[in-house]
Amino acid sequence: MAIDLLLKQSAVRAVRNHAESAYPEEACGFLLSEPDRRSPHHRVSESRPARNAAIGLRRHRFAISADELREVEICVALRGQGVVGFYHSHPDTPAVPSELDLASAWPCFSNVIVTMNGRRAGELTAFELDSESRTPVPLRIRLEGDQGTPVNVVAPETLNPVGPWRDDGRNAVSIQVKLPGPLRPLAGGASVVAGAGTTVGEVLRSLVTVYPALERHLFLPGGKLRGSVAVYRNDEDIRGLEMERTPLHDGDTVSLVPSIAGGEPVTLDPTPTVPPTPPGASASTRSEPVLDADEMRRYSRHLLLPDVGVRGQKRLKAGRVLIVGSGGLGSPAALYLAAAGVGEIGLVDHDRIELSNLQRQILYSTSDVGRPKLEAASQRLQQLNPRVKVIQHASVLSSENALDIIRPYDVVVDGTDNFPTRYLVNDACVLLGKPNVYGSIHRFEGQASVFDASRGPCYRCLYPEPPPPDLVPSCAEGGVLGVLPGIIGMIQATEAVKILLGAGEPLVGRLLLYDALGMRFREFHLKKNPECVLCGEHPTQTGLIDYPAFCGVPAPSLAGSASPDLPSLTPEALHAELEGSDPPLLLDVREQQEWEIAHLPGAVLIPSRQLPDRVTELARARSVVVYCHSGNRSRRATRLLLDLGFTSVQNLEGGIDAWAQKVDPSMPRY
């Protein structure tokens, strides 16, 4: 037997009026009644509005604070009433419970939903959550006059809370949303979650209601989708459809593809560090080289391939490839390009080899630790193939020298680890008409594509803007599976060889995603953005820009060191303060796994991504010293605390790594 929900007309009028006055935000409130244990039905005699306590996006979510609930329960108890349910509105969406409604509903409480058609309140539906199965049970709404006389019945068939909901272009459908590795920790580790709605925008906003930590990654403060996250309906980029208004139907999936920057750190510098290099002819126009007998033997397996042969091998020998970053991605790419017989390989890097590099940077050995990377890389590649010419660019890449460094090469392989350099490489390649073989890695996942603006999209078409600096960790901050850059780097080498040969189908207009944990490859189609500022129909950017400023990061030369406008102290100074009578509070903003490697005694762990939501755990009156691994995350956390009104906050210069070097050499380094 269907359960009746008896609603007095005055309560219904109050609910509708509240919904109309709150539009376009969701209204919410309490359903009150005197207990009536003799009746199998629910009776609501009065409604009471509540304040929508949801943080942001109140057009698509509601929340009632625990304090207000307690106050109402005490108040109505004095009148012999109780809270028997809750109501809320659905602005411009049907009165059908979303998965968010079902997830937040309390068993044995009535839930009323009123739809809003513009500013006019529409139909009402109701349901109750079964206490054992936690499945929704439709309630049949009976309207009563204010004197208790029956008025009419709203049948439960108007509600279909289980789904999939009717796919008629109006009623919400349950949609699978696929999350990549970087976003999974924000959704309880799930790789696939459910959203509800009729459009992509509705589904994503329903998603952040259940998983609020996702909101900052997906939406700008004003509610607009971030340009640093590509959103796909099935395998179609919504930017080529109707953006957030892209309709969804039963069986569709939504995939989120955020920009990641994993690879090798290549620092940007505002000043040129190498003289301009004269331009060179392309592999297809410069004179055809000769293969001698030794080369015929060395490349014999290539020569047997119909798509390579002698002519193709000569094209490889005439080819010039620049690899930006000789680390995790650049190592396998350089080895395979040298083995393949690419005539000239340029390497851009200025770092020295560290012990932590050897877990994934296969160009180097233990005996190389401490050597300049380019020196060791050049030696290794010459040992592998003495016929290859290795050109060392032992410099930092900048807006002033990038065009001169890249110009002589036919193909650029991007193995960088940060967004300023990634945008710089992309922009220089677009301006010079060079194909950019893109690769990036993050923990257990990788991306690869070929950006060639002459026949497809560029990196800015995919990601018009970078993510906020603190949202995407580098390999040094977030870690990476050692074999992952080997796989992505080999894909990049494959694409570079194909481009030089003019063979096969390059990854132009395609984004390849690799999930090492699931051992799965997925492919998404990319389209040229006609509004791209660099390669669109009416470009507004005609040269290179200030990339650290564009990405909102400080100049890397200041990484870990003191900033003029930011209070900081050295490890030695912190050591002295900790020995004093009033030591500061130590705030560690690294991740849990980093904490387990090493941490300062007495420190409090609040990962930087959680700090905005957990800042109330810190005593404002106490002096605070913030630290991370090398000083980058702690600098941003220090700035946040100062902006929030903390008066005594300092950043530890160089982070815990500097502490281990200068104060406690017994501490493990990573």
Side-chain angles (χ1 to χ4, degrees):
M1 181 181 71
I3 300 176
D4 288 346
L5 176 63
L6 308 179
L7 289 173
K8 284 192 175 180
Q9 278 188 309
S10 57
V12 172
R13 283 195 299 270
V15 168
R16 290 180 184 273
N17 290 339
H18 185 199
E20 291 176 352
S21 64
Y23 183 87
E25 295 183 352
E26 287 197 9
C28 58
F30 306 94
L31 302 176
L32 312 176
S33 182
E34 300 82 8
D36 185 0
R37 292 184 173 84
R38 297 171 299 174
S39 172
H41 306 299
H42 303 286
R43 172 175 277 107
V44 173
S45 58
E46 183 182 345
S47 65
R48 179 168 180 154
R51 184 179 70 87
N52 188 343
I55 301 175
L57 297 178
R58 284 191 288 268
R59 179 180 173 84
H60 304 280
R61 67 168 72 164
F62 80 95
I64 298 175
S65 72
D67 289 341
E68 185 171 9
L69 174 59
R70 284 193 294 270
E71 291 175 4
V72 170
E73 286 180 324
I74 293 172
C75 180
V76 300
L78 297 175
R79 298 175 3 210
Q81 290 181 314
V83 176
V84 296
F86 305 91
Y87 72 84
H88 71 281
S89 61
H90 277 188
D92 299 315
T93 56
V96 178
S98 67
E99 295 205 4
L100 310 176
D101 297 333
L102 301 180
S104 59
W106 290 0
C108 303
F109 279 76
S110 302
N111 295 271
V112 170
I113 305 173
V114 56
T115 188
M116 289 294 299
N117 302 313
R119 294 191 174 274
R120 184 177 180 83
E123 64 175 339
L124 277 72
T125 57
F127 71 95
E128 177 185 285
L129 205 64
D130 184 83
S131 58
E132 294 183 1
S133 65
R134 294 196 63 82
T135 57
V137 178
L139 301 179
R140 182 171 57 187
I141 297 176
R142 285 183 178 272
L143 301 182
E144 290 186 330
D146 293 339
Q147 304 303 318
T149 55
V151 178
N152 67 342
V153 174
V154 181
E157 285 74 20
T158 60
L159 171 66
N160 180 14
V162 182
W165 295 301
R166 292 189 306 275
D167 183 15
D168 59 6
R170 246 192 89 69
N171 295 323
V173 291
S174 182
I175 297 295
Q176 280 194 340
V177 181
K178 296 184 177 180
L179 302 179
L183 299 182
R184 290 173 191 170
L186 308 177
S191 60
V192 179
V193 294
T198 60
T199 66
V200 169
E202 290 177 5
V203 166
L204 295 183
R205 287 184 170 83
S206 74
L207 198 64
V208 300
T209 305
V210 178
Y211 306 107
L214 284 171
E215 181 175 345
R216 188 161 167 256
H217 288 255
L218 301 182
F219 294 98
L220 294 167
K224 182 182 177 182
L225 273 175
R226 287 192 181 276
S228 57
V229 178
V231 182
Y232 286 82
R233 182 189 68 182
N234 304 323
D235 66 346
E236 296 178 284
D237 192 328
I238 65 169
R239 283 171 290 197
L241 301 172
E242 300 177 51
M243 291 294 291
E244 292 185 54
R245 296 186 298 277
T246 299
L248 295 172
H249 306 284
D250 187 25
D252 285 341
T253 60
V254 172
S255 298
L256 305 179
V257 186
S259 53
I260 57 178
E264 173 64 9
V266 178
T267 308
L268 290 171
D269 194 288
T271 58
T273 56
V274 295
T277 306
S282 67
S284 60
T285 59
R286 63 182 70 105
S287 60
E288 185 176 88
V290 176
L291 299 178
D292 61 28
D294 286 342
E295 289 175 307
M296 290 287 191
R297 181 74 179 271
R298 176 185 288 271
Y299 307 127
S300 61
R301 298 303 185 269
H302 270 178
L303 305 183
L304 297 173
L305 293 172
D307 290 331
V308 182
V310 173
R311 186 176 184 83
Q313 192 61 50
K314 289 180 177 181
R315 288 178 62 86
L316 292 179
K317 186 174 181 178
R320 298 172 179 173
V321 176
L322 178 69
I323 302 175
V324 184
S326 56
L329 295 171
S331 287
L335 285 168
Y336 273 98
L337 290 173
V342 173
E344 293 185 14
I345 298 176
L347 300 176
V348 179
D349 211 308
H350 74 289
D351 279 346
R352 290 181 177 270
I353 300 163
E354 299 180 2
L355 190 62
S356 62
N357 298 151
L358 303 184
Q359 166 250 14
R360 64 201 178 280
Q361 298 182 17
I362 58 175
L363 259 177
Y364 315 113
S365 63
T366 304
S367 61
D368 291 325
V369 172
R371 295 178 66 190
K373 283 188 174 180
L374 291 192
E375 177 185 298
S378 180
Q379 181 180 347
R380 176 72 180 91
L381 295 178
Q382 290 291 316
Q383 290 172 346
L384 176 63
N385 190 349
R387 303 303 184 94
V388 172
K389 180 180 180 181
V390 180
I391 302 172
Q392 300 181 34
H393 299 278
S395 56
V396 290
L397 206 63
S398 71
S399 296
E400 283 74 16
N401 64 25
L403 295 176
D404 290 322
I405 290 177
I406 292 174
R407 185 175 287 110
Y409 295 93
D410 305 312
V411 181
V412 176
V413 173
D414 179 3
T416 58
D417 184 36
N418 61 81
F419 289 107
T421 315
R422 194 172 295 290
Y423 279 95
L424 168 61
V425 171
N426 173 79
D427 293 1
C429 286
V430 172
L431 295 174
L432 293 171
K434 308 288 185 180
N436 171 18
V437 183
Y438 159 78
S440 61
I441 50 177
H442 178 82
R443 294 180 177 167
F444 295 93
E445 297 184 357
Q447 301 177 356
S449 186
V450 173
F451 297 113
D452 185 349
S454 66
R455 50 176 172 161
C458 76
Y459 181 73
R460 284 182 181 269
C461 294
L462 177 61
Y463 298 119
E465 61 190 35
D470 58 332
L471 286 191
V472 182
S474 66
C475 293
E477 296 175 347
V480 64
L481 183 68
V483 300
L484 178 63
I487 295 169
I488 301 302
M490 285 190 289
I491 291 174
Q492 290 179 278
T494 303
E495 292 302 297
V497 168
K498 286 161 54 182
I499 292 170
L500 292 176
L501 291 173
E505 182 183 355
L507 281 173
V508 175
R510 296 184 289 155
L511 179 65
L512 188 67
L513 304 186
Y514 172 62
D515 178 359
L517 289 180
M519 195 50 70
R520 295 186 184 92
F521 283 93
R522 300 174 64 201
E523 183 180 300
F524 293 100
H525 296 296
L526 305 180
K527 292 184 178 180
K528 197 175 186 70
N529 180 4
E531 299 180 359
C532 178
V533 298
L534 196 68
C535 73
E537 296 175 356
H538 304 286
T540 57
Q541 180 183 326
T542 58
L544 303 181
I545 60 175
D546 183 343
Y547 292 91
F550 171 67
C551 295
V553 299
S557 58
L558 298 176
S561 62
S563 297
D565 61 340
L566 197 68
S568 61
L569 77 171
T570 64
E572 296 89 345
L574 174 60
H575 182 259
E577 288 195 14
L578 293 175
E579 296 291 323
S581 59
D582 187 21
L585 170 68
L586 298 176
L587 174 60
D588 189 328
V589 294
R590 300 173 300 153
E591 297 297 315
Q592 177 67 40
Q593 58 271 23
E594 295 178 271
W595 169 276
E596 294 172 358
I597 297 172
H599 59 270
L600 299 183
V604 174
L605 175 65
I606 302 180
S608 58
R609 58 188 172 83
Q610 299 178 13
L611 187 58
D613 298 323
R614 297 177 57 186
V615 71
T616 55
E617 299 176 23
L618 302 175
R620 292 178 179 266
R622 189 172 177 186
S623 176
V624 179
V625 173
V626 189
Y627 74 89
C628 62
H629 178 238
S630 59
N632 291 323
R633 286 170 286 176
S634 59
R635 183 187 299 108
R636 295 191 291 265
T638 300
R639 172 59 60 198
L640 172 66
L641 294 179
L642 291 172
D643 291 343
L644 291 175
F646 284 76
T647 56
S648 181
V649 188
Q650 297 182 88
N651 175 50
L652 177 61
E653 296 175 15
I656 196 172
D657 194 51
W659 175 276
Q661 295 179 66
K662 299 178 180 180
V663 176
D664 185 5
S666 66
M667 176 176 285
R669 296 179 63 200
Y670 62 97

